[in-house]
C-alpha cells in the first residue's frame, strides 16, 4: 500500500519538475526572441496554462524506456511528433473548452491552424532529447 502511494507521488513530483523545466525553457526562448527583436530587457512571456502542458512530459517516460538503443535522430523525431500532437491537442482543447489559447502562431508562414509551427520542428526535436536526458540523469 505505501509503495503504491509513493509511486503516485513520484509521478506528481516528476510532473511538477517537467512543468517547471518547461516554464524555464519557455521563458528563456521568449527572452531570446525579445533580444533578437531588439528588446534588451529580455522580456519573456509564458502562461499558467503552460505548466500542466509541460508537466505532461511525464507521459513520455515509457517512450524513453521503450526507445533505448534507438539512434538519437529517430528518438528525437518521435519526440518531436509527440510534442506536436500534445501542442496541437492542448491548444485546440483550450480554445474549445476555455475559449483561450496562450499562443497564436497565425502570423507564421508555417503554422497549422495557429496552434503549431512547423518551423519549430528542430526546437521540439531538441526539447524531446533534452527531456529524455533529464529523465535518465535525474529522474530515473
Amino acid at each position: 500500500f505505501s509503495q503504491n502511494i509513493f509511486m503516485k507521488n513520484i509521478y506528481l513530483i516528476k510532473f511538477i519538475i517537467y512543468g517547471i523545466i518547461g516554464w524555464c525553457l519557455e521563458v528563456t526562448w521568449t527572452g531570446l526572441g525579445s533580444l533578437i527583436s531588439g528588446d534588451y530587457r529580455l522580456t519573456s512571456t509564458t502562461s499558467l496554462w503552460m505548466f500542466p502542458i509541460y508537466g505532461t512530459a511525464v507521459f513520455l517516460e515509457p517512450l524513453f524506456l521503450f526507445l533505448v538503443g534507438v539512434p538519437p535522430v529517430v528518438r528525437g523525431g518521435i519526440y518531436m511528433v509527440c510534442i506536436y500532437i500534445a501542442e496541437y491537442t492542448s491548444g485546440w482543447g483550450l480554445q474549445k473548452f476555455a475559449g483561450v489559447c496562450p499562443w497564436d502562431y497565425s502570423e507564421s508562414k508555417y503554422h497549422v491552424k495557429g496552434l503549431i509551427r512547423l518551423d519549430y520542428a528542430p526546437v521540439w526535436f531538441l526539447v524531446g532529447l533534452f527531456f529524455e536526458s533529464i529523465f535518465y540523469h535525474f529522474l530515473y
Side-chain angles (χ1 to χ4, degrees):
F1 177 74
S2 63
Q3 184 179 6
N4 192 16
I5 291 174
F6 174 75
M7 290 308 293
K8 288 180 183 177
N9 286 337
I10 195 70
Y11 285 108
L12 176 61
I13 291 166
K14 289 179 178 185
F15 179 89
I16 292 168
I17 290 169
Y18 286 124
I20 291 170
I21 291 170
W23 262 347
C24 291
L25 289 172
E26 185 162 329
V27 166
T28 301
W29 179 260
T30 59
L32 290 173
S34 293
L35 177 64
I36 291 168
S37 298
D39 177 2
Y40 297 109
R41 295 173 299 151
L42 306 179
T43 303
S44 300
T45 59
T46 191
S47 165
L48 289 176
W49 288 111
M50 298 311 296
F51 179 83
I53 292 170
Y54 286 116
T56 60
V58 73
F59 297 116
L60 288 175
E61 290 185 350
L63 189 58
F64 298 155
L65 294 170
F66 179 76
L67 295 175
V68 169
V70 174
V73 68
V74 175
R75 294 192 325 266
I78 292 170
Y79 302 148
M80 177 192 66
V81 169
C82 290
I83 292 169
Y84 270 134
I85 291 168
E87 184 178 35
Y88 187 90
T89 57
S90 60
W92 177 85
L94 284 169
Q95 283 180 338
K96 177 116 174 119
F97 300 109
V100 296
C101 182
W103 63 92
D104 179 7
Y105 296 139
S106 300
E107 298 296 321
S108 171
K109 181 178 177 180
Y110 303 104
H111 78 92
V112 176
K113 297 188 178 183
L115 297 174
I116 60 172
R117 286 183 59 162
L118 299 177
D119 56 327
Y120 279 3
V123 175
W124 296 136
F125 179 96
L126 293 172
V127 166
L129 291 173
F130 176 71
F131 275 131
E132 177 194 68
S133 72
I134 294 297
F135 170 70
Y136 280 117
H137 290 93
F138 302 106
L139 300 175
Y140 183 56

